[in-house]
């Protein structure tokens, strides 16, 4: 179980019934199919309370009974599973070259996944809000046609997002102090659901932790492989944001003081030597940021054809990446570091040398058990995590209003 909240929960969460409804919902999410007796036995709530809570959740169409029964000593029990089909959670990711929108139902089943080319790297926050609002309206309209209630929308941004959802710095977008949540809420004319903004790496880590093949790992780090490199950190089953929400900026770990200039103004940051820009600076120095995907495809094509220049560049990038991941492994000792974004198509040429470099630099034997893996959630990981953040708030007790 993961929540994206730090510290004490707000006062409205102290409503005992809402809390108990959330406890039952979470239990069924993690243990379905299960019976009312299973819920009572595991949560410590008495059977009458569980029956009443389950009836409420069935009324709200968050749970449903299945025809399945489990025969034990005594009466057969009716089994419960998550329903949630009348609901949708929306995630949108903006980056230097695209906008992605994902919608999932309460179970996390993907309802749609749209990707649009968008010049985020050369657009201001105002233009981005217009583009995101247009996309969000189309998603909401599709969900409404399917008779689904939208529970919320979260936007994933490659940059520092403070606890109030203000984008403080997004170096690769060139943004500072943008009230994206406020502006998008206005552009959507107060849509009647919460609009949140969060860091892309944090959200991708949430997606991996909730839906990915390593979801059983209590300690995982997700590393974005876009023009920027950032990390989302899950420790002991919880996303760790740090004091003001700025944890995980590994892209600006200094790896080579004499290295190339980074977007942050300093030299030789991990992002500058191990981000995909480090390769494109050689293979496509004049390419527009909106052609990133095409340029990476070209790098993959050349690597497959054993192009020696590209293979050497990839090995160099992999070694720098491994040095950075050694710092992560020494500091946090995660079970798994998951490489995402453009690292995924480049992985066949990166992971081997990155692992070798990492294992050589981690003090603990066997790298402290840390494995380097490639994300299977695809380019949509941050957007999927943005939708997952909406589901998280339902899990924490913000149940949808009955209609
Ligand atoms: Zn930097």
């Amino acid at each position: 179980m993961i929540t994206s909240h730090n510290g004490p929960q707000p006062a409205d969460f102290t409503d005992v019934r809402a809390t108990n409804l959330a406890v039952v919902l979470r239990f069924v999410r993690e243990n379905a199919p299960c019976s009312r007796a299973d819920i009572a036995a595991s949560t410590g709530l008495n059977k009458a309370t569980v029956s009443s809570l389950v009836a409420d959740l069935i009324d709200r169409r968050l749970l449903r009974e299945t025809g399945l029964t489990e025969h034990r000593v005594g009466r057969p029990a009716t089994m419960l599973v998550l329903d949630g089909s009348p609901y949708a959670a929306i995630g949108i990711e903006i980056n230097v070259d695209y906008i992605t929108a994902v919608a999932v139902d309460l179970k996390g089943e993907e309802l749609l996944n749209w990707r649009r080319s968008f010049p985020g790297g050369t657009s201001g926050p105002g233009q981005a809000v217009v583009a995101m609002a247009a996309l969000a309206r189309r998603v909401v309209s599709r969900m409404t046609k399917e008779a689904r209630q939208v529970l919320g929308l979260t936007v994933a941004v490659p940059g520092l997002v403070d606890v109030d959802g203000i984008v403080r710095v997004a170096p690769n977008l060139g943004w500072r102090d943008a009230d994206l949540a406020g502006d998008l809420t206005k552009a959507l004319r107060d849509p009647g659901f919460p609009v949140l903004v969060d860091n892309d790496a944090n959200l991708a880590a949430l997606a991996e932790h909730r839906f990915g093949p390593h979801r059983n790992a209590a300690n995982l780090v997700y590393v974005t492989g876009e023009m920027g490199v950032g990390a989302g950190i899950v420790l002991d089953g919880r996303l760790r944001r740090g004091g003001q929400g700025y944890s995980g900026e590994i892209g600006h770990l200094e790896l080579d003081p004499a290295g190339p200039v980074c977007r942050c103004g300093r030299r030789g940051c991990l992002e500058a030597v191990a981000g995909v820009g480090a390769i494109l600076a050689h293979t496509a120095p004049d390419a527009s940021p909106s052609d990133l995907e095409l340029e990476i495809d070209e790098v993959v094509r050349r690597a497959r054809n054993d192009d020696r220049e590209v293979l050497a560049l990839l090995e160099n990038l992999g070694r720098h990446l491994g040095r950075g991941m050694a710092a992560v492994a020494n500091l946090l000792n995660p079970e798994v570091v998951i490489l995402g974004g453009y690292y995924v198509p480049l992985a066949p040429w990166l992971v081997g040398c990155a692992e070798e470099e990492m294992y050589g630099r981690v003090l603990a034997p066997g790298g402290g058990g840390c494995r380097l893996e490639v994300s299977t959630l695809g380019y949509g990981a941050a957007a999927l995590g943005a939708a997952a953040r909406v589901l998280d708030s339902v899990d924490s007790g913000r149940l949808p209003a009955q209609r």
Side-chain angles (χ1 to χ4, degrees):
M1 187 51 232
I2 186 164
T3 67
S4 45
H5 303 282
N6 282 329
Q9 302 201 320
D12 57 327
F13 278 31
T14 57
D15 175 51
V16 174
R17 188 159 175 92
T19 305
N20 287 342
L21 286 166
V23 166
V24 172
L25 193 60
R26 278 203 303 270
F27 183 85
V28 177
R29 178 192 296 289
E30 285 159 17
N31 299 282
C34 58
S35 67
R36 288 168 178 80
D38 295 333
I39 299 170
S42 300
T43 60
L45 296 165
N46 73 49
K47 284 185 187 170
T49 307
V50 169
S51 287
S52 152
L53 294 167
V54 165
D56 192 343
L57 292 168
I58 289 174
D59 264 2
R60 294 172 194 245
R61 295 186 61 192
L62 292 165
L63 297 187
R64 66 183 171 82
E65 293 181 328
T66 69
L68 292 169
T69 55
E70 193 180 28
H71 292 281
R72 297 191 189 152
V73 181
R75 289 184 298 152
T78 306
M79 304 305 272
L80 297 162
V81 292
L82 277 189
D83 180 4
S85 51
Y87 301 104
I90 303 174
I92 289 185
E93 181 196 5
I94 179 146
N95 217 308
V96 295
D97 54 331
Y98 61 84
I99 298 181
T100 303
V102 169
V104 301
D105 70 9
L106 194 79
K107 286 186 287 191
E109 299 284 338
E110 196 171 281
L111 304 171
L112 63 83
N113 187 337
W114 293 340
R115 187 175 162 100
R116 300 269 182 280
S117 176
F118 178 76
T122 49
S123 307
Q127 289 160 291
V129 164
V130 170
M132 284 190 288
L135 191 57
R137 273 194 289 269
R138 291 192 56 193
V139 178
V140 171
S141 136
R142 169 74 73 92
M143 293 302 106
T144 310
K145 268 190 206 135
E146 292 178 8
R148 292 175 198 276
Q149 180 186 348
V150 174
L151 298 173
L153 183 162
T154 307
V155 179
V157 179
L160 300 183
V161 180
D162 74 12
V163 286
D164 298 320
I166 310 286
V167 182
R168 286 297 170 204
V169 194
N172 292 295
L173 298 175
W175 299 357
R176 268 184 182 278
D177 301 323
D179 180 11
L180 217 54
D183 292 346
L184 191 55
T185 303
K186 266 181 233 149
L188 292 172
R189 307 218 166 98
D190 296 321
F193 51 77
V195 175
L196 304 172
V197 177
D198 205 338
N199 170 266
D200 60 344
N202 283 347
L203 293 171
L206 265 186
E208 292 288 350
H209 192 71
R210 192 168 188 124
F211 304 121
H214 310 289
R215 60 180 166 272
N216 295 325
N219 305 286
L220 70 83
V221 174
Y222 179 96
V223 178
T224 62
E226 307 295 339
M227 280 308 271
V229 178
I233 300 165
V234 172
L235 293 177
D236 300 326
R238 288 177 64 107
L239 186 64
R240 302 295 168 171
R241 299 164 178 283
Q244 296 184 2
Y246 303 148
S247 72
E249 287 303 320
I250 57 161
H252 305 284
L253 215 64
E254 187 189 72
L255 292 187
D256 179 5
V261 175
C262 177
R263 287 294 293 264
C264 74
R266 283 172 284 273
R267 277 188 179 276
C269 293
L270 185 147
E271 183 171 305
V273 294
V276 292
I279 285 196
L280 299 182
H282 294 275
T283 61
D286 303 320
S288 135
S290 55
D291 291 337
L292 217 52
E293 197 171 342
L294 286 177
E295 298 300 344
I296 296 293
D297 282 351
E298 175 62 10
V299 170
V300 168
R301 192 193 62 78
R302 287 176 63 182
R304 282 202 185 117
N305 289 332
D306 292 325
D307 180 317
R308 287 172 67 178
E309 185 203 357
V310 161
L311 291 179
L313 288 168
L314 284 166
E315 179 173 351
N316 189 40
L317 188 138
R319 296 218 171 270
H320 281 303
L321 187 62
R323 288 178 63 189
M325 295 313 105
V328 169
N330 275 322
L331 200 62
L332 302 173
N333 187 212
E335 284 119 86
V336 59
V337 172
I338 301 166
L339 302 176
Y342 292 118
Y343 286 141
V344 176
L346 300 176
W349 301 279
L350 292 183
V351 173
C353 44
E355 263 182 347
E356 193 180 288
E357 194 75 23
M358 177 177 86
Y359 287 132
R361 291 168 182 271
V362 176
L363 187 62
C370 177
R371 306 183 319 275
L372 216 50
E373 301 278 353
V374 177
S375 176
T376 53
L377 298 181
Y379 290 124
L384 182 62
R389 182 161 171 195
V390 176
L391 301 183
D392 253 19
S393 65
V394 176
D395 279 354
S396 333
R398 286 182 209 275
L399 298 188
Q402 270 169 307
R403 296 204 295 190

